[in-house]
């Protein structure tokens, strides 16, 4: 008898591993993959994804170019500091972001879809302020090129997963497609966690849930630090060779009325003398899109979405995203969106 990925992960106290190429191995194997996908995201909310088809050469270029960005002179990075962007794009210095009100020990650049800012009126939704251009380093033109290709590749992987989830939950394969068809709100973060200990490691990223639909995370090989909460304990999730770490966000919890749960996770900073590059890709629909609500088969019990007065979950993605950005970057909010803080 074959052990399910969820059962194997429970036995080893690790994350489940799923192979996306099983979708191309015939109808029976594709159905088995979708069952495993539903079960591991119901029980864990996190898993490793292999067989994704993203070229190894592109992964190598992404990691090399990301290293090159952080190796730029400080003046080059600060020239595109996110304090200049009302859209929360650009470079964030070490200590410039908060999670749960506490400082995250990392530096990063935030990259969204390359679009012009909207000409908004007082009647427009506040979250539309997030639409706008990126900031790119003048002395590293390769960054825009490689990250544009990265976005396109990961868009394809994410859409395949969304369609597989839909089928696994008894819905039409394309039920989610429309929300992502026009102006999806993808976000790439290129993050460097510098070594820090005094005497214990610092919070790289505090415990939190992701606000979108799903996240595809690639971590520099050999660099641990990610931890996922399961049944009140923390599971270490070190990188698996060539694999992405996938987790669902709050909007997929909304879509399934809590059957799939957005899972709390955190990152512990590496010790002094080391660092860690991590590149999460957040896949979310258009800012004004409302995620479809699924009617699940009777055998799938949906307990309802998480109720947390400190962290309300909104069905319209833009509201969820603006909530998260304002909390994470209060300095940007104070400069560009003081009226919303009031």
């Amino acid at each position: 008898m074959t052990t399910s990925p969820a059962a194997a992960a429970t036995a080893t106290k690790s994350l489940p591993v799923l192979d996306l190429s099983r979708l191309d191995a015939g109808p029976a194997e594709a159905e088995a993959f979708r069952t495993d996908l539903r079960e591991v995201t119901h029980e864990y909310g996190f898993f490793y994804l292999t067989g994704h088809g993203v070229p190894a050469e592109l992964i190598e270029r992404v990691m090399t170019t990301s290293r090159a960005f952080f190796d730029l002179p400080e003046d080059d990075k600060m020239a595109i500091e996110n304090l200049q962007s009302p859209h929360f794009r650009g470079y964030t210095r070490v200590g410039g972001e908060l999670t749960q009100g506490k400082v995250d020990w990392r530096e990063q650049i935030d990259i969204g879809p390359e679009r012009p800012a909207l000409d908004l009126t007082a009647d427009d939704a506040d979250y539309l302020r997030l639409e706008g251009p990126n900031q790119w380093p003048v002395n590293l033109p390769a960054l825009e090129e490689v990250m544009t290709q990265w976005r396109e590749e990961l868009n394809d992987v994410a859409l395949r997963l969304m369609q597989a989830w839909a089928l696994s939950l008894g819905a039409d394969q394309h039920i989610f497609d429309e929300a992502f068809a026009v102006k999806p709100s993808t976000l790439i973060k290129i993050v460097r966690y510098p070594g820090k200990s005094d005497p214990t490691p610092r919070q790289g990223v505090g415990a939190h849930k992701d606000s979108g639909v799903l996240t595809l995370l690639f971590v520099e090989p050999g660099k641990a630090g990610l931890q996922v909460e399961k049944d009140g304990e923390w599971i270490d999730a070190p990188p698996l060779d060539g694999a992405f770490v996938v987790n669902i966000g709050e909007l997929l919890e909304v879509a399934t009325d809590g059957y799939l749960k957005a899972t709390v996770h955190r990152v512990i900073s590496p010790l002094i003398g080391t660092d860690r590059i991590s590149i999460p890709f957040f896949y979310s629909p258009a800012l004004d899109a409302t995620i479809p609500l699924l009617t699940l088969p009777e055998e799938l019990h949906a307990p309802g979405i998480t109720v947390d007065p400190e962290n309300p979950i909104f069905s319209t993605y833009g509201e969820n995203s603006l909530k998260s950005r304002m909390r994470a970057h209060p300095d940007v909010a104070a400069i560009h969106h003081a009226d919303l803080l009031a």
Side-chain angles (χ1 to χ4, degrees):
M1 182 177 177
T2 303
T3 303
S4 72
T10 299
T12 58
K13 292 189 176 181
S14 61
L15 294 185
V17 181
L18 295 180
D19 182 348
L20 188 62
S21 68
R22 293 167 62 196
L23 285 176
D24 302 317
E29 189 61 24
E31 179 63 26
F33 171 84
R34 289 191 289 266
T35 298
D36 288 340
L37 176 67
R38 183 184 67 229
E39 290 179 353
V40 301
T41 44
H42 173 63
E43 296 183 28
Y44 281 81
F46 265 82
F47 59 94
Y48 293 108
L49 185 70
T50 63
H52 44 71
V54 178
E57 180 271 338
L58 175 60
I59 293 174
E60 179 62 28
R61 281 201 296 130
V62 164
M63 296 306 298
T64 300
T65 309
S66 297
R67 275 278 171 202
F69 172 74
F70 292 116
D71 287 341
L72 288 173
E74 192 70 12
D75 286 350
D76 284 5
K77 292 185 288 186
M78 293 302 290
I80 59 168
E81 189 178 17
N82 68 340
L83 295 183
Q84 302 169 150
S85 169
H87 321 294
F88 298 86
R89 309 285 180 81
Y91 175 71
T92 303
R93 67 197 183 283
V94 174
E97 184 169 15
L98 305 179
T99 300
Q100 301 291 341
K102 297 181 180 179
V103 173
D104 293 329
W105 196 254
R106 61 180 183 172
E107 60 176 329
Q108 66 190 32
I109 179 171
D110 284 32
I111 302 166
E114 191 63 54
R115 298 172 185 146
L118 300 175
D119 186 14
L120 301 174
T121 70
D123 294 329
D124 289 313
D126 294 333
Y127 56 72
L128 293 176
R129 303 180 188 195
L130 298 176
E131 195 83 275
N134 294 298
Q135 298 191 85
W136 299 103
V138 172
N139 292 325
L140 189 62
L143 186 67
E144 181 174 5
E145 176 190 353
V146 73
M147 285 302 151
T148 299
Q149 187 176 352
W150 188 246
R151 181 189 302 115
E152 292 170 354
E153 287 281 347
L154 269 56
N155 269 339
D156 291 343
V157 174
L159 183 57
R160 291 198 79 192
L161 284 171
M162 294 301 296
Q163 292 174 347
W165 263 309
L167 286 172
S168 78
L169 295 163
D172 182 87
Q173 176 179 356
H174 300 291
I175 192 169
F176 294 119
D177 290 9
E178 184 177 352
F180 297 90
V182 181
K183 302 179 77 173
S185 301
T186 57
L187 176 66
I188 300 168
K189 284 179 176 283
I190 309 175
V191 184
R192 174 181 171 268
Y193 298 93
K196 180 69 176 177
S197 54
D198 43 26
T200 56
R202 291 281 293 272
Q203 168 179 303
V205 174
H208 68 287
K209 300 177 182 180
D210 291 348
S211 62
V213 172
L214 73 91
T215 304
L216 295 166
L217 170 69
F218 195 85
V219 179
E220 189 174 18
K223 302 297 179 74
L226 175 64
Q227 295 182 325
V228 176
E229 188 178 45
K230 178 75 165 72
D231 298 330
E233 298 182 353
W234 291 104
I235 298 173
D236 289 320
L240 184 65
D241 188 32
F244 287 91
V245 178
V246 182
N247 67 279
I248 67 170
E250 292 172 337
L251 277 191
L252 205 48
E253 180 173 331
V254 169
T256 62
D257 197 25
Y259 180 77
L260 302 181
K261 288 285 188 187
T263 304
V264 174
H265 53 288
R266 68 184 184 184
V267 176
I268 305 301
S269 288
L271 296 177
I272 287 176
T274 62
D275 66 358
R276 175 182 185 269
I277 300 292
S278 174
I279 308 176
F281 171 86
F282 302 96
Y283 187 66
S284 300
L287 289 170
D288 59 356
T290 299
I291 201 74
L293 305 181
L294 306 186
T295 300
L296 302 186
E298 290 184 6
E299 64 270 19
L300 303 182
H301 173 62
I305 64 173
T306 302
V307 177
D308 180 357
E310 297 298 317
N311 182 42
I313 301 176
F314 304 104
S315 58
T316 301
Y317 173 64
E319 296 182 61
N320 248 17
S321 183
L322 183 62
K323 170 196 71 176
S324 296
R325 305 303 271 167
M326 297 277 286
R327 288 179 173 182
H329 299 282
D331 47 359
V332 177
I335 293 170
H336 299 285
H337 309 292
D339 58 316
L340 301 184
L341 295 177

